[in-house]
Amino acid sequence: MPSSSVSNAAAATPAASGCAIAEIQAWATSFPVPAEHSVRLGVGRTLKRDAVVVKVTTEDGLVGWGESHHGRAHSSIAHFITHALRTMVLGMDATDVHGVWQRIYARQLASHGIGAGCAIAMSGIDMALWDIRGKATGWPLYRLLGGASKPIPAYAGGVALGWQDPSALVDEASAHVQAGYKAVKLRLGDTVERDVARVAAVRKAFGEGIEILTDVNAAYTLADARRAMPQLDALNVGWLEEPFPAHDYRSYELARAYGRVPFAAGENHYTRFEFNRLVDDRVVSILQPDLSKTGGISETMRIAALASAYRLPIHPHSSMTGINMAATLHVLAAIEGNGYFEADVSRGNLFRDALVTTPFAIGADGCVRPSDAPGIGVEVDEAFLDAHPAIEGPAYA
């Protein structure tokens, strides 16, 4: 006998009048990164930026926008949304967000494994449906999720405070501190000596007046971690993000004894079923789900509930466009704790500055706030999508 959750998910929910999902569209979109804006970090030097934008339209004309992470295969993710997931949920009630999630789970994830591709693809649909719910009620998303408008601490990050000469890194960090940020995230994964030199330069320049966070992009070996972690402890680093690949649980466990700096992970873990192991292993103490990767807003809220039971903080990972950035603020306003917002401060990010209306603004207090407009609260320029089709090939050299 199938479980009740699966059997219920298999039956389409009758749509309220006018609320049926009439269409789902997905765009793979790209823009080249000019040489003057290219940065180098643990995954390589940036060549272009990719994204997947999802539009859901109801029978009565309500439109919701979402973002699926590109997964370094943006055309494939968009194709999967359009040609597989779309047909599963057309005609379902757009306000039945959990019903749509369960139907995709029953027909795809549960029967074919918790695949990253499906989790990423369904994330954009789920986000767009929450946007529709907000627009249907006239409420901002944080209110629908049970939250309230509040200041949310932000750190300067995104792609990236990357690998560069320490003096140049200090200059870049200084501009963000002057803009109001009280925390910055530095990219590690070069050599341990150069990594530590960069962190030390920023700490010397700003003292204990700012929080320094670090991200290795899964580039360390155990030997690297053994050498780096005591030095990062001495520099009072707030967290060490993804020193190892997401699936390398044994290295996380062994490296825990090398120092005190907290491990952070989660941007490359998909659905609560993978976060469950992060929690159970008691090694990673900071969870970083990405709304555009882990299964959408619905699944991020479930992961936050799991984290709450263990008093683990949630500091979400931000994705490529202002759609994800704005939605992340709403989630942070609705969950327990005082989690950081990862503010994308990269130069020339058209997905933040041109695709959408302003997704966030840093205040003098180092905080950002969710929009009070209905739904996610950003408008999307479809002409931008038409003018920026997918560019195939790797995004990093």
Side-chain angles (χ1 to χ4, degrees):
M1 290 289 289
S3 68
S4 59
S5 62
V6 172
S7 61
N8 289 340
T13 306
S17 177
C19 286
I21 297 172
E23 187 54 276
I24 297 175
Q25 298 167 265
W27 288 264
T29 179
S30 307
F31 66 88
V33 175
E36 64 270 20
H37 291 166
S38 182
V39 295
R40 187 165 173 251
L41 56 155
V43 293
R45 177 168 289 281
T46 53
L47 301 175
K48 64 181 175 108
R49 298 192 77 162
D50 298 325
V52 178
V53 175
V54 180
K55 178 184 179 182
V56 177
T57 306
T58 68
E59 286 184 345
D60 59 3
L62 280 176
V63 171
W65 292 96
E67 177 187 346
S68 291
H69 191 268
H70 56 74
R72 300 198 190 175
H74 57 329
S75 297
S76 297
I77 296 294
H79 184 89
F80 184 56
I81 293 168
T82 302
H83 296 281
L85 301 188
R86 172 182 172 272
T87 57
M88 289 185 194
V89 300
L90 281 179
M92 290 186 69
D93 188 342
T95 66
D96 183 19
V97 180
H98 298 308
V100 171
W101 202 101
Q102 286 295 331
R103 172 172 262 219
I104 295 173
Y105 174 79
R107 294 192 173 189
Q108 182 70 32
L109 285 178
S111 60
H112 289 80
I114 305 299
C118 183
I120 289 171
M122 68 194 295
S123 295
I125 295 174
D126 181 88
M127 192 181 296
L129 294 177
W130 278 104
D131 192 28
I132 285 173
R133 292 190 90 205
K135 290 172 178 175
T137 61
W139 280 12
L141 177 59
Y142 68 78
R143 289 188 68 189
L144 283 179
L145 297 175
S149 182
K150 65 179 183 180
I152 297 165
Y155 68 82
V159 183
L161 294 183
W163 298 357
Q164 52 190 299
D165 179 81
S167 62
L169 180 61
V170 168
D171 290 343
E172 183 181 352
S174 179
H176 299 314
V177 171
Q178 291 175 27
Y181 289 99
K182 304 297 191 289
V184 296
K185 188 169 80 175
L186 309 182
R187 300 286 181 159
L188 309 187
D190 195 355
T191 68
V192 170
E193 291 75 17
R194 287 195 285 265
D195 286 346
V196 172
R198 293 182 180 111
V199 176
V202 174
R203 178 59 76 206
K204 181 179 179 181
F206 301 102
E208 297 299 325
I210 66 166
E211 178 100 19
I212 297 178
L213 314 169
T214 61
D215 185 355
V216 187
N217 291 117
Y220 271 179
T221 65
L222 279 169
D224 293 331
R226 184 183 293 110
R227 291 166 51 220
M229 287 173 63
Q231 299 181 78
L232 298 177
D233 284 341
L235 292 166
N236 195 26
V237 165
W239 73 54
L240 185 63
E241 182 176 333
E242 286 201 319
F244 315 111
H247 58 265
D248 189 1
Y249 295 100
R250 184 171 183 272
S251 289
Y252 280 94
E253 181 181 3
L254 292 173
R256 184 60 279 159
Y258 298 162
R260 300 184 309 276
V261 59
F263 288 151
E267 69 171 275
N268 291 307
H269 288 82
Y270 302 94
T271 76
R272 78 201 97 145
F273 305 110
E274 292 190 0
F275 275 85
N276 186 58
R277 178 163 183 180
L278 278 186
V279 172
D280 284 348
D281 282 358
R282 301 176 185 268
V283 173
V284 172
S285 52
I286 293 167
L287 304 184
Q288 299 174 303
D290 185 321
L291 276 62
S292 293
K293 300 176 84 171
T294 201
I297 292 168
S298 298
E299 194 70 350
T300 301
M301 295 300 289
R302 298 181 187 111
I303 291 164
L306 171 67
S308 172
Y310 291 83
R311 296 287 188 254
L312 295 175
I314 296 281
H315 301 280
H317 176 263
S318 293
S319 269
M320 308 306 290
T321 84
I323 303 169
N324 171 285
M325 298 169 198
T328 298
L329 286 177
H330 289 283
V331 168
L332 279 166
I335 63 176
E336 285 187 21
N338 201 28
Y340 270 123
F341 169 68
E342 181 179 18
D344 181 288
V345 295
S346 57
R347 292 173 294 171
N349 183 0
L350 300 182
F351 294 150
R352 178 196 62 212
D353 302 333
L355 170 64
V356 297
T357 51
T358 304
F360 68 88
I362 187 70
D365 59 355
C367 294
V368 290
R369 289 160 178 78
S371 169
D372 282 317
I376 292 173
V378 293
E379 299 298 324
V380 176
D381 182 1
E382 289 192 49
F384 176 97
L385 297 171
D386 294 334
H388 294 84
I391 301 172
E392 301 301 343
Y396 297 91

